[in-house]
Amino acid sequence: MPLIALRPLLDYAAANNFGVAALNVNNMEQIQAIMEAARATQSPAIIQASRGARKYTNDLFLRNLMQAAVELYPEIPVVMHQDHGNSPETCISAIRMGFTSVMMDGSLEDDGKTPSSYEYNVAVTREVVNVAHRFGVSVEGELGVLGSLEHGMGEKEDGHGAEGKLTLDQLLTDPDQAVDFVNRTGIDALAVAMGTSHGAYKFSRKPSGDVLAMSRIEEIHKKIPNCHLVMHGSSSVPKELCDIINANGGRIKETYGVPVEEIQRGIRAGVRKINVDTDNRLAITGAIRKAFTAKPEEFDPRYYLTPARAAMQAVCEERMKQFGQAGHAKKVPHVTLEQMARDYAAGKYGDNARPDTVVGKKAK
Ligand SMILES: O=C(COP(=O)(O)O)[C@@H](O)[C@H](O)[C@H](O)COP(=O)(O)O
């Protein structure tokens, strides 16, 4: 099956009450790990690349690796998503390179560091929607700024993330503003801020409602029940993966991620796309360190990349089952980008903020 847009997958997920892991990639082994996990669990897949990933991998390599993935796994519906586009130019270049979904993160200015004004966010997001939908490509927007409710700091990840201390207003998406944002931009999915952040160091203790405000997601969902919500920074940072790294010469400090049961609570409240990258990075690093410890004399990259790929596959399979996407691969409607473009133009996906808008159809 050729790559599909994000929207029909999330509509189907909403109609069937599950969430989909959006998994970051930077190289061939990570794409292979996701595709093997998708095949093993019969899951649809969202594969995403950040600006940093596009720079590291090169767009041509990325596009052709993704092409290989869809040819080798024809039964798996795959979305190729630009993670955290910082400007309309980044999103448009992604569309040109064959991405079928883009995130315009207008919560920050195009330096990827400075929290933007609301009107700026609306304007750049609307601009991307206008272009993307003409090509049948879906758009994720972001309202609110990712950062910690424990200490108020934003997070800077490989060039993208707020710098400095943020106010509570910035750290928590406002439900009423979310209604206006979705109405004015026409986005397909909305990333919300409620205390998660990228990377391994999210919380200094197992998070409770004061630092991981899942109730905020529920409030937003009540206001815009037909808009697909997105949780960023949703790695669970399993202790056992950190322990493998530390037992083999690494130095990961004590830390806590987003518990899977909190993500499942989010899925019950309209979360359809869940971004996970750190857990896979931890799994890969642990497996490579373990391989180096076991045989310091080895130097064939296949010796340590094979277990690294398997370790990432295991994490992906686990999340695919936990988020409920397992078993759905064959049932996701295959809508071509050309058809999507016609449907967008005809207003089929028009009014996401209206409570009576119908999203998707129940699987038989
Ligand atoms: O939410 C995300 C990952 O969350 P996580 O750290 O796994 O909890 C992604 O959207 C990030 O954008 C991604 O991990 C950042 O990747 P790089 O910019 O480092 O490539």
Side-chain angles (χ1 to χ4, degrees):
M1 184 188 292
L3 293 165
I4 60 167
L6 183 69
R7 183 61 186 263
L9 172 55
L10 298 194
D11 280 0
Y12 174 85
N16 293 280
N17 305 312
F18 67 88
V20 187
L23 303 156
N24 288 76
V25 295
N26 299 274
N27 64 18
M28 179 184 74
E29 283 78 6
Q30 290 180 304
I31 295 175
Q32 290 172 328
I34 296 168
M35 295 310 296
E36 280 297 308
R39 175 166 281 169
T41 60
Q42 280 302 296
S43 297
I46 301 173
I47 298 185
Q48 56 185 11
S50 66
R51 269 192 301 147
R54 287 177 62 190
K55 192 168 155 203
Y56 173 84
T57 312
N58 179 293
D59 278 345
L60 262 184
F61 275 118
L62 200 54
R63 183 169 75 184
N64 285 295
L65 287 168
M66 290 301 299
Q67 198 45 48
V70 294
E71 279 181 38
L72 289 166
Y73 299 80
E75 78 281 17
I76 304 297
V78 183
V79 175
M80 183 177 172
H81 178 79
Q82 162 80 58
D83 188 21
H84 289 290
N86 64 317
S87 64
E89 291 69 31
T90 298
C91 294
I92 289 163
S93 75
I95 294 167
R96 280 212 184 94
M97 287 312 294
F99 283 71
T100 54
S101 176
V102 292
M103 176 186 192
M104 176 62 237
D105 180 0
S107 70
L108 301 175
E109 290 180 8
D110 63 5
D111 63 3
K113 297 176 192 158
T114 313
S116 65
S117 71
Y118 178 64
E119 287 306 323
Y120 169 90
N121 193 357
V122 169
V124 288
T125 307
R126 181 75 230 172
E127 186 182 337
V128 171
V129 168
N130 284 342
V131 176
H133 283 184
R134 279 173 32 211
F135 294 94
V137 170
S138 306
V139 182
E140 172 187 336
E142 175 162 325
L143 186 62
V145 184
L146 292 188
S148 166
L149 287 170
E150 272 188 87
H151 47 67
M153 294 303 285
E155 41 102 79
K156 194 166 174 310
E157 179 101 359
D158 195 22
H160 198 101
E163 270 181 355
K165 208 163 169 83
L166 299 162
T167 64
L168 202 58
D169 277 358
Q170 291 171 312
L171 287 164
L172 289 171
T173 303
D174 178 81
D176 291 317
Q177 202 172 50
V179 178
D180 184 66
F181 187 73
V182 170
N183 267 330
R184 287 173 65 191
T185 57
I187 49 172
D188 299 281
L190 176 69
V192 292
M194 38 54 205
T196 61
S197 53
H198 299 145
Y201 299 103
K202 300 180 194 304
F203 306 106
S204 63
R205 57 184 160 85
K206 188 168 183 235
S208 45
D210 53 336
V211 292
L212 176 61
M214 297 306 293
S215 57
R216 184 54 66 118
I217 292 189
E218 289 160 349
E219 287 168 45
I220 296 167
H221 182 56
K222 277 197 191 116
K223 299 261 180 189
I224 41 173
N226 289 309
C227 182
H228 306 304
L229 302 180
V230 181
M231 277 176 73
H232 279 248
S234 291
S235 274
S236 301
V237 194
K239 184 173 176 318
E240 55 277 19
L241 293 182
C242 299
D243 287 348
I244 295 173
I245 294 177
N246 289 340
N248 291 281
R251 254 186 242 146
I252 305 288
K253 290 178 282 188
E254 186 179 352
T255 179
Y256 294 83
V258 183
V260 167
E261 59 272 20
E262 297 295 341
I263 297 170
Q264 289 167 335
R265 176 177 166 186
I267 292 169
R268 289 193 293 278
V271 171
R272 300 293 158 225
K273 175 173 177 282
I274 304 114
N275 285 15
V276 174
D277 185 7
T278 294
D279 286 352
N280 289 323
R281 293 180 180 191
L282 292 170
I284 288 170
T285 301
I288 290 177
R289 280 190 174 279
K290 205 169 157 186
F292 285 162
T293 307
K295 284 195 187 171
E297 70 281 11
E298 265 292 353
F299 54 87
D300 181 342
R302 290 171 296 187
Y303 165 70
Y304 52 86
L305 291 178
T306 303
R309 185 173 55 192
M312 172 162 166
Q313 183 184 334
V315 171
C316 295
E317 281 188 31
E318 197 179 14
R319 296 292 174 271
M320 286 168 175
K321 289 179 196 157
Q322 290 164 330
F323 298 167
Q325 71 202 81
H328 284 282
K330 292 208 174 86
K331 293 178 269 179
V332 175
H334 177 224
V335 189
T336 63
L337 291 188
E338 291 74 22
Q339 185 58 47
M340 285 300 299
R342 284 193 288 275
D343 289 345
Y344 279 129
K348 179 174 171 190
Y349 300 106
D351 198 348
N352 298 326
R354 258 181 48 206
D356 58 341
T357 306
V358 177
V359 286
K361 284 201 179 85
K362 269 242 179 274
K364 294 259 175 0

